[in-house]
Amino acid sequence: MVGDREWSPLELTPNAIGVSPGPEGLVEYLAATDLREQLVKAKAIVFRDFRLSPRDLESKLDLFLPNRLAYVHGNSPRTKVGKNVYTSTEYPAEFTISMHNELSYSHHWPTRLLFFCEQAPAIGGATPVVDSTRWLAALDDDVRDAFRGGVRYTQNLHGGAGLGKSWQDTFETGKPDEVEEFLAQADASWVWKPDGGLRVSQLRPSTRKHPVTGDEVWFNQADQWHAAGLGDETAAALRAILPEEDLPQSVTFADGSPIPEEYVVQIRDRGLSNAVDVYWQAGDVLLVDNLLVGHGRRPFSGNRRVLVAMSD
């Protein structure tokens, strides 16, 4: 198991890069930097002490993410607050969100993520980030081998009332033909249910290779889609309400065989144990390469508002 902390995000401040403090100094730096190349080398970058306000961020976002993407087919609860800008995951503050690469279950995922801290929490609330190559290396050989064939994700999306997300919110449309077009392009299978809901099935690989570095990375959300990843009490409560095939989301190996619970717990725990926490200050920006770095969230108290945007 990998247990040291050899990697951490690159932290850039006005003093470190020799520019004036404030948004103008950040613009100066970004205009003169190949940010894409720098991000691949660093894997994640924290921009701190540039005194960015939410208004500053909106006007500067294109410098970080020139082609922002909508959060279509996302399974996490979020609120859209601007042009393809969203709140970060709106799970209750007392829960840890385990490590994951954004939309790794989808046919089209963002290559870069940007997080902006509008309001830092009073206590806790760090965003842990993990080198995805280290996450893969931290897993036992039998776990890695078991996942070689990939995984199959299943979603049950209600039509307006029910457990989990609706298909309208998930695909940001109320038109079934637009949903079907998206799913066809995604090489997914689907069926409309008599109650107006939608069941979607997708076969995806468990690892990917980075197009620039060639590194193989752990790149799936099996632990988050599996009931065991929620903890024993929550998993038992869900199974008491619904059979597994009717849960809002579930996952199996590619051939449909069940993934052992102990594999799921190992994946979750070793991702978190190899993560580095980024503690927020208001105005911070965290930029990550979504293939090379997984992210999550630590529990917190007090108000916390972190926004997220994505780019290909």
Side-chain angles (χ1 to χ4, degrees), residues 9-29:
L10 173 66
E11 182 172 310
L12 297 179
T13 64
N15 284 340
I17 59 178
V19 298
S20 60
E24 296 78 11
L26 180 59
V27 170
E28 177 187 344
Y29 176 76

Side-chain angles (χ1 to χ4, degrees), residues 1-307:
M1 177 178 172
V2 179
D4 56 76
R5 295 290 185 271
E6 293 178 354
W7 174 83
S8 62
L10 173 66
E11 182 172 310
L12 297 179
T13 64
N15 284 340
I17 59 178
V19 298
S20 60
E24 296 78 11
L26 180 59
V27 170
E28 177 187 344
Y29 176 76
L30 294 176
T33 302
D34 186 337
L35 189 58
R36 187 179 295 272
E37 179 180 350
Q38 185 182 44
L39 182 61
V40 169
K41 291 179 180 178
K43 302 185 180 183
I45 305 172
V46 178
F47 296 87
R48 177 160 287 163
D49 296 336
F50 287 95
R51 306 174 187 170
L52 288 177
S53 69
R55 180 174 296 182
D56 292 323
L57 177 72
E58 181 65 28
S59 63
K60 310 296 187 293
L61 259 180
D62 286 344
L63 294 172
F64 288 105
L65 304 175
N67 184 31
R68 294 204 297 281
L69 302 174
Y71 186 63
V72 176
H73 204 185
N75 68 326
S76 178
R78 302 179 188 273
T79 300
K80 194 170 186 176
V81 297
K83 181 184 176 183
N84 291 343
V85 178
Y86 302 83
T87 58
S88 59
T89 305
E90 295 172 352
Y91 283 117
E94 64 268 25
F95 295 126
T96 295
I97 297 174
S98 59
M99 309 309 295
H100 60 285
N101 305 81
E102 200 65 47
L103 290 168
S104 59
Y105 53 84
S106 180
H107 76 297
H108 184 62
W109 59 88
T111 60
R112 288 185 284 175
L113 306 176
L114 179 144
F115 299 90
F116 171 74
C117 181
E118 183 174 339
Q119 183 174 6
I123 300 173
T127 293
V129 289
V130 63
D131 182 331
S132 296
T133 60
R134 293 172 58 78
W135 192 3
L136 177 62
L139 302 176
D140 291 350
D141 291 344
D142 60 338
V143 174
R144 289 197 301 270
D145 291 343
F147 277 85
R148 290 296 180 192
V151 294
R152 183 175 297 279
Y153 302 100
T154 299
Q155 283 176 292
N156 287 290
L157 305 168
H158 63 77
L163 190 63
K165 292 184 70 175
S166 70
W167 61 263
Q168 295 94 331
D169 286 341
T170 298
F171 296 100
E172 295 191 2
T173 181
K175 299 178 180 180
D177 57 332
E178 291 183 358
V179 174
E180 292 183 359
E181 181 180 0
F182 178 93
L183 293 174
Q185 293 175 354
D187 196 26
S189 59
W190 70 91
V191 59
W192 293 99
K193 300 164 74 172
D195 62 2
L198 174 67
R199 177 174 290 163
V200 178
S201 178
Q202 304 175 88
L203 178 62
R204 302 290 181 233
S206 61
T207 66
R208 299 272 185 184
K209 286 193 175 182
H210 193 276
V212 177
T213 69
D215 291 336
E216 185 179 14
V217 299
W218 187 249
F219 198 75
N220 69 81
Q221 285 174 239
D223 61 313
Q224 288 196 328
W225 285 59
H226 197 291
L230 302 173
D232 293 341
E233 292 185 4
T234 303
L238 283 173
R239 286 170 176 148
I241 299 171
L242 293 169
E244 188 155 343
E245 63 269 19
D246 289 330
L247 292 174
Q249 57 189 42
S250 59
V251 63
T252 65
F253 288 124
D255 62 2
S257 60
I259 299 173
E261 292 190 5
E262 60 267 26
Y263 287 8
V264 172
V265 172
Q266 181 183 133
I267 292 164
R268 180 197 65 196
D269 291 352
R270 294 193 183 174
L272 284 165
S273 67
N274 282 279
V276 177
D277 286 344
V278 175
Y279 290 94
W280 291 109
Q281 299 175 18
D284 284 353
V285 169
L286 169 64
L287 190 66
V288 305
D289 184 305
N290 187 43
L291 268 169
L292 295 175
V293 172
H295 66 278
R297 191 202 68 191
R298 302 292 186 184
F300 65 94
S301 60
N303 294 323
R304 178 186 189 270
R305 185 172 172 85
V306 175
L307 305 181

